[in-house]
Amino acid sequence: MSGSDKGAFYITTPIYYVNDKPHIGHAYTTLACDVLARFKRLDGFDVNFLTGTDEHGQKVEASAEKAGIDPQLFTDRVSQNFRDLTEICNYSNDDFIRTTEERHKIACQKLWQVLEDKGFIYLGSYAGWYAVRDEAFYTETELTKSAEGKFIAPTGAEVEWVEEPSYFFKLSAFEEPLLKLYQEQPDFIGPDSRRNEVISFVKGGLRDLSVSRTTFKWGISVPGNDEHIMYVWLDALTNYLTAVGYPDEDVVSYKKFWPADLHMVGKDIVRFHAVYWPAFLMAADLPLPKRVFAHGWWTNEGQKISKSLGNTIDPLALIEQFGLDQVRYFMLREVPFGKDGDYSTRAMISRVNGDLANDIGNLAQRVLSMVFKNCDGKIPEHGTFSAEDQELLAKAGGLLEKMRNDFDKQSFHRGLESVWEVISTANKYVDEQAPWTLRKTDPPRMGTVLYVLSEVIRQIAVLLQPVMPQSMEKMLGQLSLSADQRGFQTLGTPLVSGTEISKPEGVFPRYVEEE
Ligand code: ME8
């Protein structure tokens, strides 16, 4: 966390189940959060970016059993894969929480106690359907029957009949308060399609929620009744509070960062975050997060990604093949954030070679090489700016505001589109101004043109840092900008003529397909 003057910004990813190794979907959600966290830091916010692993519950217990390993050892191992992913993908998370940590057990048991003391938890017994894969309860009406006669949840998960003593949370008491919340804070859920879905789910009626299990052991025990393990979703959601210091509501991190600004999730778990979670918090009299945004689902070459189809996409293999920043850019540019998207090698290559190698890569390489060769390796002096110069500079100068607006709505693709519009204008400007001709006919004008272009490249590189940190570091390094000259507050401070630049080297190589 770094000092700032714009206030705090707390952003979270879902905590991932440790039943399997990370795949592209996990990498995607965390990437989106990383980009926003980096953007906010550069924009002067004090950011707390949290990710981690969800390690309790029947599903994880079963995976450990299948692997023939003690669940703690199993979760240690698999959780490490997710931690490794954060390093490999260059995520800038400030914390990595594991639900098997002591700090989390304390937070969960305290929250439970508060809910119980306030009269929102009661003991009863549950008889109904449960899907271990989703760790979710379903009503009979939600189910369909498979060809083999098995009952299937709307998510495709198999359900099993569960009958056991259980504590319940009085979710039914929150129908009206939740609908009021969605109405009074229309930004609470994004995008709109998900908001509508949640509203109609709640309008359909809420039943009290079973929040404890007795038929397995891998979880946090209910305070005062060891026979019961807390429902894994109550346990998991609480991680967002644990990480900022709950139950100590006086600790600096809690005061500064709670309530969270944004819980980023996939569309599969919006109900848990936009219905159950605010209900738990309202019941406990705790402030509610400001926003839950649910992004869409990735498919692979048009097919649903699933282990049984053997078509899961390993983010590490993609990074190996195309490069880290290339993959980061692709994921956020290719698909409108919030919509489902399809991964295809063709689309990836087109982004890598088109947007990156040709558009921005060539622009920077052409311009900075000309500066290096023809201007004595220094940012040139400039004369009065022509209308074309001013137009291009103004276009680049308007990007921050546009990106702020788009990124605040999680419209990452839109923000990137605006940057690429400027890149394409700049490429046209190079061709039209033809500085290579001006070198002979009008060297001072060549200087002005190359100055304008270098300045535009600086702005673009500063703004693209959140998406492609390593590549932009190289580009800004070539312009000899130090670390304190890379924040968004420096965007209005133009390049200083006479500054020596480093020998430019290509930042975005073309991807050449193997024969
Ligand atoms: O649900 N496309 O964990 P999980 C896009 N532990 N995103 C995908 C995806 C795909 N094909 N597949 C997975 C859990 N995701 C709970 C969360 S939070 C308190 C507890 C991403 O390991 C997406 O963000 O099943 C989805 O919501 C998340 O992984 C589910 O991860």
Side-chain angles (χ1 to χ4, degrees), residues 14-17 23 25-26 28-29 54 59 233 236-237 239-240 265-266 268-269 273 295-298 305:
I15 47 170
Y16 304 110
Y17 286 127
H23 64 68
H26 308 120
Y28 183 55
T29 319
D54 187 354
K59 167 150 115 171
W233 271 101
L237 288 159
N239 92 89
Y240 304 130
V265 297
D268 52 326
I269 55 174
H273 284 81
H295 65 65
W297 218 236
W298 280 94
I305 296 176

Side-chain angles (χ1 to χ4, degrees), residues 10 12 107 110-112 114-115 118 120-121 169-171 174 177-178 181 188 209 233-234 236-242 244 246 249 254 257-261 263 272-292:
Y10 179 23
T12 67
K110 173 69 187 188
L111 182 63
W112 178 287
V114 173
L115 294 174
K118 289 185 185 279
F120 289 105
I121 284 182
F169 170 73
K170 285 189 185 164
L171 185 63
F174 291 91
L178 284 168
L181 164 71
F188 182 73
L209 182 69
W233 271 101
L234 175 54
L237 288 159
T238 306
N239 92 89
Y240 304 130
L241 284 173
T242 308
V244 290
Y246 184 84
E249 294 175 48
Y254 182 87
F257 292 117
W258 194 260
D261 292 85
H263 292 317
F272 301 94
H273 284 81
V275 181
Y276 301 167
W277 183 225
F280 296 152
L281 291 168
M282 282 180 195
D285 255 334
L286 290 168
L288 308 183
K290 294 178 198 151
R291 183 164 163 86
V292 173

Side-chain angles (χ1 to χ4, degrees), residues 203-390:
K203 278 190 174 156
L206 294 176
R207 300 176 354 150
D208 288 351
L209 182 69
S210 162
V211 285
S212 75
R213 304 284 313 271
T214 50
T215 42
F216 67 95
K217 280 279 152 237
W218 185 237
I220 296 175
S221 53
V222 163
N225 190 347
D226 278 358
E227 295 295 302
H228 287 253
I229 294 296
M230 277 183 211
Y231 175 37
V232 68
W233 271 101
L234 175 54
D235 163 344
L237 288 159
T238 306
N239 92 89
Y240 304 130
L241 284 173
T242 308
V244 290
Y246 184 84
D248 185 351
E249 294 175 48
D250 292 321
V251 75
V252 176
S253 54
Y254 182 87
K255 288 218 277 217
K256 195 195 271 183
F257 292 117
W258 194 260
D261 292 85
L262 178 63
H263 292 317
M264 186 81 86
V265 297
K267 65 178 184 179
D268 52 326
I269 55 174
V270 69
R271 186 183 296 184
F272 301 94
H273 284 81
V275 181
Y276 301 167
W277 183 225
F280 296 152
L281 291 168
M282 282 180 195
D285 255 334
L286 290 168
L288 308 183
K290 294 178 198 151
R291 183 164 163 86
V292 173
F293 188 92
H295 65 65
W297 218 236
W298 280 94
T299 51
N300 186 359
E301 309 274 356
Q303 268 193 321
K304 184 174 185 280
I305 296 176
S306 91
K307 255 203 318 195
S308 51
L309 288 172
N311 66 348
T312 52
I313 301 174
D314 175 3
L316 306 189
L318 275 193
I319 291 166
E320 182 105 330
Q321 191 176 1
F322 296 104
L324 172 60
D325 281 353
Q326 283 81 349
V327 173
R328 288 176 60 111
Y329 171 76
F330 170 83
M331 288 206 268
L332 290 187
R333 176 63 196 274
E334 183 64 15
V335 178
F337 200 72
K339 296 250 159 68
D340 289 343
D342 186 42
Y343 173 80
S344 79
T345 307
R346 185 200 45 74
M348 173 70 98
I349 294 174
S350 147
R351 293 285 175 198
V352 169
N353 287 344
D355 301 16
L356 297 179
N358 287 352
D359 297 346
I360 184 175
N362 249 343
L363 175 70
Q365 183 64 10
R366 282 211 276 183
V367 170
L368 300 183
S369 300
M370 279 188 274
V371 171
F372 197 75
K373 277 198 213 120
N374 305 325
C375 308
D376 216 11
K378 291 182 186 140
I379 299 295
E381 298 290 335
H382 64 81
T384 313
F385 294 130
S386 70
E388 291 84 359
D389 303 346
Q390 281 174 17

